[in-house]
Amino acid sequence: METIKTMAEFAAAGEQPEFLFWVGCAGSFDDRHKKVTRAFAEILQKVGISFAVLGTEESCTGDPAKRSGNEFLFQMQAVTNIEVLSTYDVKKIVTACPHCFNTLKNEYPSLGGNYKVMHHTQFLKSLLDEGRLTIEGGKFKGKRITFHDPCFLGRANDVYEAPRDLIKKLDVELVEMKNCRKKGLCCGAGGAQMFKDAEVGQKEINIERTEQAMEVKPEIIAAGCPFCNTMMTDGVKNKAEGQIEVMDVAELIANASDL
């Protein structure tokens, strides 16, 4: 993979990339989700998309602070990010995190941050529709895959078909859990729950969701969110370790042989 340039490097050269790739905290620091970041960046490079990252100038969008009730901290983080984005005259943003996607798209405008924001599955689907991305065939052909809808992608923003359309292009058998699309079940990490212990109960929600996935007997659970990926991976370790793999949609495409 080629070195990814930062917005500062583009600006120093008097150039402007078409898109800013907002990596997010998980994509930057979580060892598992770093693989998704690399997979998505590799796809962008292979199809010739002009993009950059903020690098050390990127900070948390403020989503966890807002969800946990600290509106003051959220606004501090958001305003700081908006100032940085304004410096580089950013207009278009793509991100592999539905939490970043939702916050940048729906909550930054009221603070002065207006951008065209796309989730990476929407962006990849647009490349597919334009003929810039070909993902026919691949090593996943014939595999049984189910897609887990991230709350902030699906129910919060009505994005259901883009990830499924991409998965179908891999010539796989796409099977649906009983709770999917608008009736999707949360993995348990949203609303800043990712960063605290679960409340006392009979069963943790990620275990419930993993059991729903197991009911349709998938070989792979496809995800489109770093939080969901973590929660479903933990669920698989608890219930079906070695039997089911959890992969982001971008990883599926990047690993397709015909890309």
Side-chain angles (χ1 to χ4, degrees):
M1 188 174 77
E2 299 172 17
T3 301
I4 299 171
K5 293 172 67 175
T6 64
M7 290 297 297
E9 288 171 326
F10 267 92
E15 301 171 352
Q16 180 79 4
E18 185 180 0
F19 286 91
L20 168 68
F21 173 20
W22 187 278
V23 181
C25 300
S28 299
F29 302 113
D30 180 78
D31 286 341
R32 172 65 186 91
H33 207 67
K34 286 177 188 177
K35 296 177 181 178
V36 178
T37 300
R38 283 193 289 268
F40 183 55
E42 284 175 3
I43 296 171
L44 297 184
Q45 289 181 343
K46 285 179 180 178
V47 298
I49 299 297
S50 172
F51 74 100
V53 296
L54 283 172
T56 56
E57 290 187 280
E58 182 185 295
S59 179
C60 178
T61 60
D63 168 79
K66 188 176 184 70
R67 303 300 158 219
S68 58
N70 195 335
E71 180 67 20
F72 177 69
L73 177 57
F74 161 69
Q75 291 197 18
M76 284 179 61
Q77 291 177 303
V79 169
T80 299
N81 285 324
I82 290 169
E83 288 176 352
V84 172
L85 294 171
S86 296
T87 299
Y88 295 116
D89 196 27
V90 172
K91 297 288 194 298
K92 299 177 182 178
I93 301 174
V94 61
T95 179
C97 176
H99 295 257
C100 297
F101 166 69
N102 179 72
T103 304
L104 291 165
K105 178 176 180 283
N106 298 320
E107 293 170 347
Y108 273 34
S110 64
L111 297 171
N114 294 282
Y115 321 102
K116 178 181 179 181
V117 187
M118 300 179 76
H119 184 252
H120 72 320
T121 58
Q122 291 178 302
F123 187 65
L124 293 173
K125 178 60 166 58
S126 71
L127 295 178
L128 185 68
D129 292 342
E130 294 166 9
R132 300 173 71 180
L133 175 65
T134 302
I135 53 175
E136 302 290 345
K139 70 176 186 179
F140 301 107
K141 185 174 182 177
K143 294 279 189 182
R144 194 173 171 89
I145 298 180
T146 190
F147 178 69
H148 164 72
D149 288 285
C151 295
F152 279 104
L153 183 64
R155 286 178 294 173
N157 286 285
D158 292 320
V159 179
Y160 298 106
E161 302 311 320
R164 288 174 169 82
D165 289 345
L166 293 168
I167 293 168
K168 289 174 186 175
K169 279 293 182 180
L170 295 166
D171 294 333
V172 305
E173 182 184 1
L174 180 62
V175 291
E176 297 287 1
M177 288 181 257
K178 64 182 180 182
N179 286 96
C180 63
R181 291 186 170 86
K182 290 187 177 180
K183 294 184 178 179
L185 182 68
C186 180
C187 70
Q193 297 297 307
M194 182 81 174
F195 309 105
K196 59 181 284 296
D197 291 331
E199 286 83 0
V200 177
Q202 297 301 310
K203 185 190 297 182
E204 292 198 21
I205 192 67
N206 68 316
I207 301 298
E208 176 73 22
R209 188 56 166 164
T210 302
E211 289 174 348
Q212 286 191 358
M214 291 172 64
E215 287 173 7
V216 297
K217 298 179 170 57
E219 294 168 80
I220 298 171
I221 297 173
C225 170
F227 292 5
C228 296
N229 196 313
T230 296
M231 298 300 279
M232 298 306 290
T233 297
D234 286 350
V236 166
K237 286 178 181 176
N238 184 278
K239 303 294 294 187
E241 188 165 15
Q243 302 171 43
I244 303 172
E245 195 172 0
V246 181
M247 297 182 71
D248 188 89
V249 174
E251 291 179 302
L252 292 172
I253 295 171
N255 283 291
S257 61
D258 293 341
L259 177 62

